[in-house]
Amino acid sequence: DPSRRTSTTPFRKIGARAKASPPTANRQLLTMGSAVPTPAKPPVRVLISGAAGQIGYSLIPMLLSGRALGEDQPIDLVLLDIPPCKDKLEGVCMEVQDCGFGLLRSLTPTVDGKTAFEGCDLCILVGGFPRRPGMLRADLLKKNGGIFSAMGKAIGSSASPNVKVVVVANPANTNCLIAALNAEGVPKQNFSCLTRLDMNRSKGLIVSRFGLSSANDVKNVMIWGNHSKTQYPDITEAQIKRDGEWTSVPTVATDEDMKYFKGDFIKTVQQRGAAVLKARGFSSAASAANAVIDHIKSLYQGTAPGEHVAMGVWSNGNPYGIADGIFYSFPCTCKDGKWSIVPGVTCSDESKELMKATEKELLEEKKEALP
Ligand code: NAD
């Protein structure tokens, strides 16, 4: 593909320089000059779509700093956006080059959605059609349906056979479904969508509620369903760390706390995106990018023993009676690059009702998005 060749050329130097002077994290691996050098890991080819947008701007440096895939994992980075954003994308590439990330092996900006996915191991789909004021949900779903079915097809026909796809663009769960349904030959299990931001937001609120010292002292908050206002943030399984001991939130919560967790807490998480937009004048970007990194880190590096995280995943065969054939956020553990839904969570009647309400919305979205 000539466009890829041309666009990669100015960045070749980055790869060459990184080889001659490896980053700290790679020094042990490359052991320049030793008798038997240990080869560095082969690069992972990562595509970010919507790379010239807000989330892309925060996400790219976070990804290249190594937290998601590992500090010894070189990256071939493909940045995809649409033709009107070609110049902006070039500017982003200049900045990426100017950062001098040691893990970056090659950088390929492209506005060709047909060839961009060739050989990609990980596709982070951030770009999509934005909701305009007055736009109906059905129109938004149809617009994005077209974009995500094309992306799914391109992934199925040209990405690496073991490609993993993380969908961020809204409506994230349904965009993920459309891409997965169109990616021939790629298992649905290789797709997931982002609800980690909702989990992180919930953790932040729990830190404030209990006056904890950091978000590291909270785990196992669950997000059920759609990344939308019907999502159900649930603290039934949540734990907090006090004096070095993990304890269950429902056990330590007062009646007043429980009232909060069933009321304002849920509403605040559901409406946090709108609150950020109102205050900042732009939608969440740094926190969204940070959540994407957390999501990918869990997927690739695994979850800690006794920990689960929120991920929108293929619902077939789930143990909670949620309909098959949608991408629904469940509590998940990850190992060896694969997620599993945590079984055996006790769901009260109240919880079941909320889980069903968000399932209903996803089924409606599916109906509206699919022709
Ligand atoms: P943005 O408008 O700043 O950037 C989006 C970029 O995508 C733009 O550069 C645009 O040109 C590009 N784009 C549009 N269509 C494309 C296509 N077909 N192929 C490639 N690129 C395309 O938006 P943003 O703030 O970066 O947000 C991106 C998306 O993420 C939005 O859909 C937003 O709603 C969603 N989002 C999701 C979460 C979540 O938790 N799941 C959180 C925040 C934002």
Side-chain angles (χ1 to χ4, degrees), residues 15-263:
R17 192 188 41 173
K19 224 175 187 177
S21 169
T24 320
N26 274 357
R27 233 162 244 161
Q28 274 181 321
L29 291 168
L30 290 172
T31 51
M32 303 291 279
S34 75
V36 188
T38 315
K41 284 182 173 179
V44 169
R45 190 166 185 88
V46 183
L47 174 139
I48 299 178
S49 78
Q54 279 207 95
I55 294 178
Y57 195 74
S58 291
L59 179 60
I60 296 163
M62 285 187 204
L63 178 80
L64 292 173
S65 67
R67 183 157 67 89
L69 296 173
E71 287 175 11
D72 61 351
Q73 179 56 67
I75 292 172
D76 284 325
L77 188 60
V78 182
L79 299 180
L80 170 68
D81 213 290
I82 49 175
C85 292
K86 195 167 185 282
D87 291 346
K88 207 170 164 195
L89 196 57
E90 281 297 330
V92 170
C93 287
M94 286 180 209
E95 285 207 70
V96 172
Q97 186 172 19
D98 295 347
C99 287
F101 287 111
L103 292 177
L104 183 64
R105 286 294 175 274
S106 69
L107 184 58
T108 309
T110 177
V111 292
D112 181 352
K114 286 210 177 90
T115 57
F117 297 93
E118 277 168 18
C120 287
D121 303 298
L122 168 64
C123 302
I124 311 172
L125 305 184
V126 183
F129 197 89
R131 189 166 197 156
R132 301 244 159 86
M135 195 173 177
L136 295 175
R137 186 177 71 163
D139 293 336
L140 181 76
L141 284 161
K142 285 220 175 72
K143 280 264 182 211
N144 279 298
I147 293 173
F148 282 83
S149 61
M151 283 189 184
K153 285 192 178 92
I155 289 169
S157 64
S158 66
S160 128
N162 295 319
V163 65
K164 287 192 176 52
V165 182
V166 177
V167 179
V168 180
N170 281 319
N173 301 52
T174 300
N175 287 344
C176 187
L177 172 70
I178 305 284
L181 291 177
N182 282 281
E184 220 181 301
V186 184
K188 308 280 182 293
Q189 285 72 11
N190 293 19
F191 285 78
S192 57
C193 68
L194 190 75
T195 54
R196 186 63 166 262
L197 177 56
D198 309 299
M199 182 186 116
N200 288 349
R201 286 166 170 166
S202 305
K203 283 172 73 171
L205 293 178
I206 294 172
V207 169
S208 310
R209 184 78 193 177
F210 292 109
L212 305 173
S213 46
S214 91
N216 290 341
D217 296 341
V218 185
K219 65 177 182 182
N220 299 352
V221 185
M222 300 181 292
I223 304 294
W224 299 99
N226 200 0
H227 171 70
S228 76
K229 284 177 189 150
T230 66
Q231 66 171 275
Y232 170 35
D234 177 6
I235 55 91
T236 311
E237 292 282 302
Q239 296 183 26
I240 56 171
K241 200 171 173 184
R242 275 175 168 168
D243 306 323
E245 293 279 327
W246 286 104
T247 44
S248 142
V249 169
T251 314
V252 294
T254 60
D255 287 352
E256 200 55 33
D257 289 331
M258 285 314 286
K259 206 174 139 209
Y260 167 72
F261 285 124
K262 286 179 182 172

